[in-house]
Amino acid sequence: MAKARSPMLNDEPVDPDIDLHIPAQRQEARQNQRPVIAVVAVGGAVGACARYGASLAWPTPPSAFPWTTLTVNAVGCAVIGVFMVVITDVWAAHRLVRPFFGTGVLGGFTTFSTYATDIRRLVDRGEARTGLAYLVLTLVVAIAAVWAASVLTRRIVQWRQR
């Protein structure tokens, strides 16, 4: 069975239960997305402000290794690991909690665009090896943080349920 396609959305796949040729269903699809977009935007602003606060509290001099960015990304990834276990295994969250906190707050808090800029800055300063090490270290730390936090959270939840 082929997925429904929308001529209005550049031929991107859409919900197969919605026929976008029917104006009422097209309007319903738009209305259902408005709250999600709003909470992601608000959450993103909150997360970006928290990240900015971290950069003010622990500024990184231009010639130094970007420890603040690495730490912010590691903490954000660990929090997403905890959050995903909590909302999938423990708590039946409202449908807007995940987009608000997971996509919005944590998406705004973690800063992979600054990470890319930091790598570029290191390479431009002639520190290509450090830039490569930072590139790999951040990816490893981010993945390890999500994994470790989710495993630890799941164990704590199981322990508390006994």
Side-chain angles (χ1 to χ4, degrees):
M1 181 161 143
K3 286 189 176 180
R5 300 246 176 221
S6 167
M8 297 176 62
L9 300 173
N10 299 324
D11 206 32
E12 301 237 349
V14 296
D15 185 339
D17 297 329
I18 296 175
D19 184 352
L20 294 177
H21 295 98
I22 300 172
Q25 288 186 10
R26 194 168 48 236
Q27 182 65 23
E28 180 184 347
R30 283 190 192 123
Q31 287 175 344
N32 287 338
Q33 290 303 314
R34 286 183 182 141
V36 174
I37 292 167
V39 298
V40 168
V42 170
V46 169
C49 288
R51 174 176 25 96
Y52 180 67
S55 72
L56 292 177
W58 302 286
T60 301
S63 61
F65 187 84
W67 288 109
T68 302
T69 304
L70 178 65
T71 303
V72 163
N73 287 336
V75 168
C77 288
V79 172
I80 197 74
V82 171
F83 175 68
M84 292 309 295
V85 169
V86 169
I87 68 166
T88 57
D89 295 2
V90 177
W91 179 43
H94 185 275
R95 74 177 190 96
L96 297 177
V97 170
R98 186 174 178 172
F100 170 75
F101 191 73
T103 305
V105 174
L106 293 175
F109 180 68
T110 57
T111 175
F112 287 91
S113 59
T114 302
Y115 156 70
T117 302
D118 289 342
I119 293 167
R120 175 74 184 261
R121 190 175 296 129
L122 288 166
V123 170
D124 287 348
R125 285 195 328 237
E127 299 177 40
R129 286 185 183 165
T130 303
L132 180 61
Y134 176 55
L135 183 144
V136 172
L137 179 64
T138 298
L139 293 175
V140 169
V141 166
I143 291 168
V146 172
W147 176 81
S150 62
V151 166
L152 182 60
T153 303
R154 199 162 270 120
R155 286 184 182 167
I156 290 169
V157 167
Q158 289 170 350
W159 174 74
R160 289 190 57 155
Q161 290 175 346
R162 290 182 192 176

